[in-house]
Amino acid sequence: MQHRSRRRFLTVAGGVTAAACVTFMVPAARAQMVRTPLNNMPEVIRSLVGTATLNIGKVKLDIPPLVENGHLVPLTVRVDSPMTEANHVKSIHVFTERNPLPEMATFRLGPRAGRAQVTTRVRLADTQNVVAIAQMSDGSYWSDTAFLIVTLAACLEELPA
Amino acid sequence: MANVRIDVPKTAKRGDIIDIKTLAAHGMETGFRRTHLGVPIPRDIITTFVCSYNGIEVFRAELYPSISANPFIQFSTVATESGMLEFKWSGDNGFTATETARIDVT
């Protein structure tokens, strides 16, 4: 009686484990097929920031968390700054992890902008992180990262012949 | 030839922060695509956008292939004085486009 129940337990447990493996392995395998290798975003960010520290905060990257169409994704970057002569945002840089190139856009602004906010529309090749970095007039760097899921990827399709 | 659209308020109070929206008709070919025959399609994008206020540059954007077709850019500037705002797009294959808008500041 005891053996039978142990055997049943093992059968069920084995089945569950096998099922879990299948469920987890299939998406992983598909992701491997679709995803291009990571670009060199960390190195590009490092060369921008140099020896300065990349702080987290002040920047707000506004981008939809779930994107149906990667060809046209609205993206807004806001930076918490008074935008005065003494204290303003000098530049805003946007980077992606999995597009063929890490750079998306660079915006150069100054105290005459009045408000540190820029909106544009971008292409995204894959489910990934997008990073916005702002350089302040005092030389400090601040950043925000957003993770988003892309269902229809841009950049990978071919033109009709 | 190039088709661009801008949205700038006609009048503003001195010191107001005005929102500016710009759109340029351009395919923004990334350079990463291929035809069905496997031939790479060369890159053809707008690389630079500059906004000048009475001749002084107030905003500049450097664009990469990650920017969507028909690049849309929205930014702001402080209405300092009456005058002309000039918008200039330039890019691959000698692409240039210019648009101006007059603003009256009271």
Side-chain angles (χ1 to χ4, degrees), chain A residues 71 106 108 112 119-120 123, chain B residues 60 62 66 68 72 74:
Chain A
H71 286 100
T106 301
R108 310 217 177 258
R112 290 197 56 170
T119 301
T120 188
R123 293 180 171 125
Chain B
R60 173 184 284 266
E62 291 148 31
S66 283
S68 298
F72 167 84
Q74 183 180 353

Side-chain angles (χ1 to χ4, degrees), chain A residues 70-73 96 99-124 155-161, chain B residues 17 19 23 27-30 32-37 41 53 56 58-70 72-78 80-81:
Chain A
H71 286 100
L72 201 67
V73 186
T96 93
N99 279 16
L101 279 179
E103 296 97 344
M104 295 197 110
T106 301
F107 304 103
R108 310 217 177 258
L109 49 167
R112 290 197 56 170
R115 192 188 303 134
Q117 180 175 331
V118 182
T119 301
T120 188
R121 298 192 296 219
V122 298
R123 293 180 171 125
L124 289 163
C155 313
L156 302 172
E157 89 289 11
E158 291 176 344
L159 273 191
Chain B
I17 297 169
D19 273 312
L23 186 76
M28 293 295 276
E29 185 57 56
T30 61
F32 295 107
R33 300 199 303 164
R34 287 168 183 270
T35 63
H36 275 191
L37 301 172
I41 304 166
Y53 195 146
I56 298 164
V58 290
F59 180 83
R60 173 184 284 266
E62 291 148 31
L63 309 181
Y64 293 87
S66 283
I67 298 297
S68 298
N70 305 324
F72 167 84
I73 302 170
Q74 183 180 353
F75 59 99
S76 59
T77 191
V78 179
T80 50
E81 57 195 350

Side-chain angles (χ1 to χ4, degrees), chain A residues 48-97:
Chain A
L48 167 75
V49 176
T51 51
T53 336
L54 185 57
N55 306 292
I56 294 169
K58 288 198 184 186
V59 181
K60 177 81 183 71
L61 173 60
D62 208 346
I63 190 163
L66 178 63
V67 174
E68 283 177 19
N69 181 356
H71 286 100
L72 201 67
V73 186
L75 177 154
T76 298
V77 184
R78 284 186 198 92
V79 188
D80 181 16
S81 164
M83 294 306 271
T84 57
E85 199 62 53
N87 182 4
H88 58 261
V89 175
K90 278 171 77 179
S91 59
I92 294 172
H93 308 256
V94 187
F95 298 103
T96 93
E97 220 176 28

